[in-house]
Amino acid sequence: MPGAEILHSSIAISKSVLLAVVLAPLLGSILAGLFGRHIGRAGAHTVTILGVAVSCVLSCYVLWQLVGQGAPPFNENLYTWFQVGQIDAHVGFMVDKLSAMMMVVVTFVSLLVHLYTIGYMADDDGYQRFFSYISLFTFSMLMLVMSNNFLQLFFGWEAVGLVSYLLIGFWFKKPTAVFANMKAFIVNRVGDFGFLLGIAGVLLMFGSLDYATVFANAPTIAGVSITIIDGYAWSVATVICILLFIGAMGKSAQVPLHVWLPDSMEGPTPISALIHAATMVTAGIFMVARMSPLFELSETALQFVLFIGATTALFTGLIGIVQNDIKRVVAYSTLSQLGYMTVALGVSAYSAAVYHLMTHAFFKALLFLAAGSVIIGMHHEQDMRKMGGLRKYMPITYWTSLIGTLALVGTPFFSGFYSKDSIIEAAGHVAHASPSWIATYAYWAVLAGVFVTSFYSFRLLYLTFHGEERFRHVDAGHHESPDALQQHEGHAADQHSTEEQGHGQHVHADDHGHGHHGPVEPHESPWVVTLPLVLLAIPSILVGFFTVGPMLFGTDVMGHEKQLPFFLGAIDLAPARDTMAALATEFHGPVAFALHGFQTPAFWLAFAGFALATVMYWWKPHLAARARRIFELPARILENKYGFDHLWIDGFAGGGVMLGRASRAVDTHLIDGAAVNGSAHTVGLIARGVRQAQSGYLYHYAFAMILGLIALLAVLRPWQ
C-alpha cells in the first residue's frame, strides 16, 4: 500500500522539517509580495531565494533520510480542516521516495530559476511581484506533491494553476499575454472539472479522501459497475480513473487539452522553465503515478491513457518542426516529452514515467533558460530566422544548449537517453506481448517521435548558433531564412507577439530588437544567467548514469547487486503488469545499457533526424526552400496546428459565447419579455378595462345587465 511503512529504522522524518520545506517559500513570497516596496529589489530576491534554498536543502536531506538511512515514509495529518459526519478534511503530508524525489526536483529547479531571474528580469518594473509569484508557485507545487489526501491535492492543483495564470499574463498590458493566460485558464478548467468529478467518485465509493484509506480499499471496487446512462453499465474503476486522467490531460497538456501550453510562452522565460517544463505540467504525470493502485484496476483506463500519450508524443512534436520562435520550439518539445511520460503510464511503467519526469526537468529547464539567454543576447529577439552564428558570441549558452539537445534526443550516456529509451523499451515490450492495436500504435508513435525530436532540436541549434549571421541583415531588409518549412511571409507564428514586445513595458528602447537602427550585436549573458545553465547541464549529463539502476531496475548504481525497488510502497501494480521488472532481467548496468543503445532503432532514428537537420540547415541550407515547396500542404497543416486552436477558440469558446448570447436573447425576449413583462402587461390591460367599466352610475350597470340578459337568451334559445 502506498504510504505504508516498508522499512523499519530508528531514523524518522521530522514533521518540523517538512513544515519548513513547505512554509519557507511561502514566507519569501509573502515578504516579497506585500513588502516589496519597502525591502526593494535586492530584498525581494534575497528573501525568496533564501526561502527556496532552505526548502531545497531540506528536501535533499529528506530524500537522503529515505534512501541513505532507511527512514520509513512519513504519512501524518497535521491539521483538521473540517469534519462533516463521517467525512474528514485534513492538511497532511505523505512523504515517500516518490514525493521526496519530486520535492528535490521542484526546489532545485526553482532555486536556479530564482537565481536566473535576477539577470533576466533586471530591468522589469514588476521585479518584486515576479519573485513573489514564482516563490508562491514553489509553495503550491510542494503542497501538491506532499499531500496525503485528495482535497489537499486539489488545493495544490488549483493553486499552481492560479499562479500559472498570473505568470503567463505577467505582462498584463500585452493583449497576447492576456489572451494566453485566459486560454490556459479556460482549458485547464475543462480538465479540472473532470478531475473534480473523479475526486467526487472516490469520495462516493470509499467514503474518504485519504490516500492510505482509498488505496487500501481499492480492490473492493474491482468488478463493481455503475449505470450512468440507462442500459449501459460502466466499471466504477474505469470511470474514476478516466475522470482523474482528464484532469491530468489539462494540467500536463495532453491532446486535445494541449493548446494552452505553447501560448503560455507569452510569459517571461523563467516561468517557462519552472512551470511549463519542469514542474507544473508534470503534476498530472505525478498524480497518475501516485494513483497507480486505482489505475491498475482498469485496463480500459490504461488503454485510454496510452492512446492519448502516444498521440501527443508524435503529433505535437511534428508541430515543433515548423516553429520559428525559439521558445515555441522548446514548448512543443515539452508537449511531446509529456506524451512519452504518459505512454509509460499507459503501459504500467510508472517508475519510468516519473524517472523521465526527473531527467526531463533538468535538461528541459536548461533548454528554456538557454533560449532565454539567447533572447537576452539578441536584445529580446526570439525569431530564429533573425539569428545564426551565435556560437562565437555566446559560448557558454551554446555548449549548455548542445548538452541539453543531446540529452533531449536521447544520446547514449546522457540522462535523457536512460529515461527515454526505457520508455521506448517498455512500450515495445507491451506491444509485442499485447494483442491491442493501441499498444502497437503507441510503440511506433514513440519511435517515430525520436526522429522528429532529433530533427527539430538540431534545427533549432543550427538556426540559432551556426551558419550565416542573419541578424546583421535584418535592418537592411534583405533577410532570407534557410528554414524549409516556414519560408513564406505571413506565417501564423508571426502573428504572435514575441517576448520583446512584452519587455517594451519595462526595458529601455535601445534594449529592443525592434528598437535598433543598426545591426544587433549579440553578447553573452551575465553570470547570474549562465551559472544556472552550467548547474543544470551537470545533471543533464550525469544524473541518468548514476540513478537508472536504483530507480528503474532495482539494482545498485553499476547494476551488479539487486535491491528493493526504489518506488516500493509508493507505486503499486500487479506483478503480471510489472513492465519494468520484465525489462530488469536484461539490465546489466548503465554502461552496457548505453552501449546497447547504439544498436537500437531509436538511436538510428535520432541519428537520421540529426543528419537531415545538418544537411538542411547547415551544410546545404538552400534545400530548405525546396523542401518547403515540396511539402507545402503538410507544412500548412502543421502551421495550423491541426486546427485545434480553431476548435477551441471558434468551437468551444466561440460556441460558449454564442450560447450565452442565445441564452440572453431567450431571457430578455421570451422569459422577461413574454412571460414576465408580457404577463404583467396583460394583467394591466385587463385591469385598465375593468376600471373603465366600474363608472359608479346606476344606469350603466342596468344597461350592462340588460345586455347580459340578451346575450344569455341568445345562447340558451337554440337549445330549447
Side-chain angles (χ1 to χ4, degrees):
M1 178 185 71
E5 294 189 5
I6 58 174
L7 297 173
H8 299 282
S9 171
S10 59
I11 303 296
I13 299 173
S14 169
K15 182 191 307 182
S16 59
V17 169
L18 297 180
L19 283 170
V21 168
V22 170
L23 296 179
L26 178 62
L27 178 61
S29 174
I30 292 172
L31 291 175
L34 298 182
F35 306 102
R37 292 185 178 181
H38 302 285
I39 63 179
R41 289 173 172 250
H45 72 234
T46 299
V47 295
T48 52
I49 290 175
L50 183 61
V52 176
V54 168
S55 185
C56 182
V57 170
L58 293 179
S59 296
C60 293
Y61 173 66
V62 169
L63 181 61
W64 176 71
Q65 283 186 300
L66 288 166
V67 176
Q69 295 189 306
F74 179 95
N75 185 15
E76 186 176 332
N77 293 324
L78 306 180
Y79 173 75
T80 299
W81 186 9
F82 64 79
Q83 183 173 6
V84 179
Q86 301 298 316
I87 300 174
D88 299 331
H90 302 284
V91 175
F93 297 143
M94 174 186 282
V95 179
D96 49 25
K97 291 179 182 178
L98 174 60
S99 50
M101 180 271 289
M102 288 292 295
M103 291 160 57
V104 171
V105 169
V106 169
T107 55
F108 178 73
V109 174
S110 178
L111 178 60
L112 295 183
V113 168
H114 276 69
L115 182 63
Y116 178 95
T117 300
I118 296 175
Y120 194 86
M121 303 291 286
D123 299 316
D124 198 291
D125 294 336
Y127 189 84
Q128 294 98 314
R129 179 166 58 96
F130 189 83
F131 272 98
S132 177
Y133 286 171
I134 58 176
S135 195
L136 179 62
F137 169 80
T138 306
F139 158 76
S140 303
M141 192 69 193
L142 287 170
M143 287 293 286
L144 188 156
V145 301
M146 295 171 64
S147 63
N148 72 344
N149 63 83
F150 284 89
L151 194 60
Q152 185 176 328
L153 171 70
F154 189 71
F155 164 78
W157 195 269
E158 292 302 302
V160 294
L162 170 64
V163 181
S164 174
Y165 168 83
L166 295 173
L167 284 168
I168 295 171
F170 182 77
W171 290 318
F172 52 84
K173 294 182 181 179
K174 287 173 60 180
T176 51
V178 174
F179 175 81
N181 72 351
M182 285 301 298
K183 186 176 183 180
F185 186 83
I186 292 171
V187 173
N188 272 275
R189 295 292 71 73
V190 175
D192 291 353
F193 179 67
F195 188 55
L196 192 58
L197 289 177
I199 294 175
V202 169
L203 181 61
L204 174 67
M205 298 308 301
F206 298 100
S208 174
L209 293 175
D210 181 71
Y211 286 167
T213 302
V214 171
F215 297 155
N217 293 284
T220 61
I221 66 170
V224 178
S225 299
I226 186 172
T227 300
I228 300 176
I229 303 174
D230 289 340
Y232 296 92
W234 294 70
S235 164
V236 168
T238 298
V239 171
I240 290 176
C241 290
I242 289 180
L243 288 172
L244 292 174
F245 181 67
I246 289 173
M249 288 170 63
K251 199 66 69 185
S252 293
Q254 298 295 291
V255 173
L257 303 183
H258 67 287
V259 293
W260 66 271
L261 192 143
D263 284 352
S264 71
M265 298 302 106
E266 291 292 339
T269 296
I271 66 109
S272 300
L274 177 62
I275 295 181
H276 305 124
T279 52
M280 188 192 87
V281 292
T282 59
I285 308 300
F286 166 80
M287 183 272 293
V288 176
R290 173 63 82 197
M291 304 302 154
S292 57
L294 296 177
F295 278 83
E296 285 297 292
L297 299 175
S298 174
E299 176 68 23
T300 303
L302 289 174
Q303 290 286 297
F304 179 71
V305 171
L306 182 59
F307 177 79
I308 294 295
T311 303
T312 304
L314 176 59
F315 290 99
T316 59
L318 286 169
I319 302 176
I321 295 174
V322 301
Q323 297 299 306
N324 284 332
D325 186 309
I326 188 171
K327 284 176 61 178
R328 287 179 183 271
V329 176
V330 186
Y332 280 103
S333 168
T334 300
L335 286 173
S336 180
Q337 296 308 304
L338 289 168
Y340 275 84
M341 299 175 206
T342 306
V343 166
L345 296 173
V347 296
S348 295
Y350 302 98
S351 59
V354 295
Y355 185 63
H356 192 48
L357 182 160
M358 177 188 74
T359 62
H360 175 265
F362 298 127
F363 62 74
K364 188 52 65 65
L366 169 60
L367 287 171
F368 264 119
L369 295 186
S373 179
V374 170
I375 293 169
I376 294 173
M378 287 294 296
H379 305 277
H380 303 292
E381 178 60 70
Q382 294 182 215
D383 193 334
M384 295 185 298
R385 296 171 298 181
K386 301 176 183 178
M387 299 179 187
L390 297 183
R391 175 183 175 183
K392 66 179 180 181
Y393 299 98
M394 310 181 71
I396 298 175
T397 302
Y398 169 72
W399 286 108
T400 53
S401 296
L402 179 60
I403 290 170
T405 299
L406 292 174
L408 172 62
V409 302
T411 307
F413 291 101
F414 284 77
S415 294
F417 161 77
Y418 291 103
S419 57
K420 191 174 180 179
D421 203 68
S422 297
I423 293 175
I424 295 172
E425 292 292 331
H429 174 79
V430 173
H432 289 104
S434 170
S436 169
W437 67 268
I438 294 178
T440 303
Y441 163 71
Y443 176 61
W444 287 107
V446 294
L447 267 184
V450 172
F451 171 82
V452 173
T453 301
S454 181
F455 180 75
Y456 65 64
S457 298
F458 283 102
R459 169 180 170 267
L460 181 151
L461 201 70
Y462 291 137
L463 286 177
T464 305
F465 295 103
H466 293 272
E468 179 189 3
E469 297 179 359
R470 295 181 298 280
F471 52 84
R472 298 194 180 280
H473 307 308
V474 172
D475 295 297
H478 59 273
H479 160 68
E480 184 175 348
S481 169
D483 195 339
L485 298 178
Q486 293 195 349
Q487 190 71 13
H488 71 291
E489 296 297 328
H491 170 251
D494 295 335
Q495 305 301 321
H496 292 286
S497 172
T498 58
E499 196 164 314
E500 61 189 67
Q501 294 167 305
H503 282 274
Q505 303 172 33
H506 52 270
V507 183
H508 297 297
D510 59 358
D511 285 337
H512 289 251
H514 288 315
H516 284 274
H517 297 288
V520 174
E521 190 65 29
H523 57 83
E524 185 61 276
S525 300
W527 73 268
V528 288
V529 171
T530 56
L531 178 60
L533 300 183
V534 175
L535 294 178
L536 285 168
I538 295 171
S540 297
I541 299 173
L542 299 176
V543 75
F545 184 92
F546 291 105
T547 58
V548 62
M551 291 186 71
L552 288 190
F553 300 111
T555 69
D556 61 6
V557 171
M558 298 309 297
H560 299 318
E561 298 180 7
K562 286 291 183 181
Q563 301 174 345
L564 287 174
F566 186 85
F567 294 111
L568 180 63
I571 292 174
D572 186 26
L573 66 166
R577 299 183 59 85
D578 196 344
T579 307
M580 299 311 296
L583 297 178
T585 58
E586 302 175 5
F587 179 75
H588 304 291
V591 176
F593 191 13
L595 292 176
H596 173 71
F598 287 105
Q599 306 171 29
T600 60
F603 171 77
W604 292 107
L605 285 168
F607 183 80
F610 157 75
L612 183 60
T614 302
V615 171
M616 292 181 62
Y617 296 101
W618 190 17
W619 184 31
K620 293 183 179 297
H622 66 275
L623 293 177
R626 186 180 303 175
R628 167 69 207 187
R629 291 190 294 271
I630 295 174
F631 297 103
E632 177 73 22
L633 180 59
R636 288 189 178 277
I637 293 174
L638 295 177
E639 289 164 0
N640 198 39
K641 306 167 191 174
Y642 310 113
F644 276 109
D645 274 351
H646 294 296
L647 175 65
W648 278 98
I649 297 172
D650 301 329
F652 183 78
V657 171
M658 292 178 61
L659 182 62
R661 289 174 178 169
S663 176
R664 179 182 178 183
V666 170
D667 183 68
T668 303
H669 300 293
L670 182 60
I671 298 177
D672 282 349
V676 179
N677 297 333
S679 299
H681 184 64
T682 302
V683 171
L685 288 175
I686 295 173
R688 195 176 300 116
V690 171
R691 284 200 306 270
Q692 294 296 325
Q694 301 296 323
S695 64
Y697 293 108
L698 182 61
Y699 63 86
H700 283 175
Y701 299 139
F703 182 68
M705 292 173 63
I706 292 171
L707 290 178
L709 181 60
I710 293 172
L712 182 62
L713 292 174
V715 171
L716 294 178
R717 186 173 180 83
W719 296 95
Q720 293 178 352

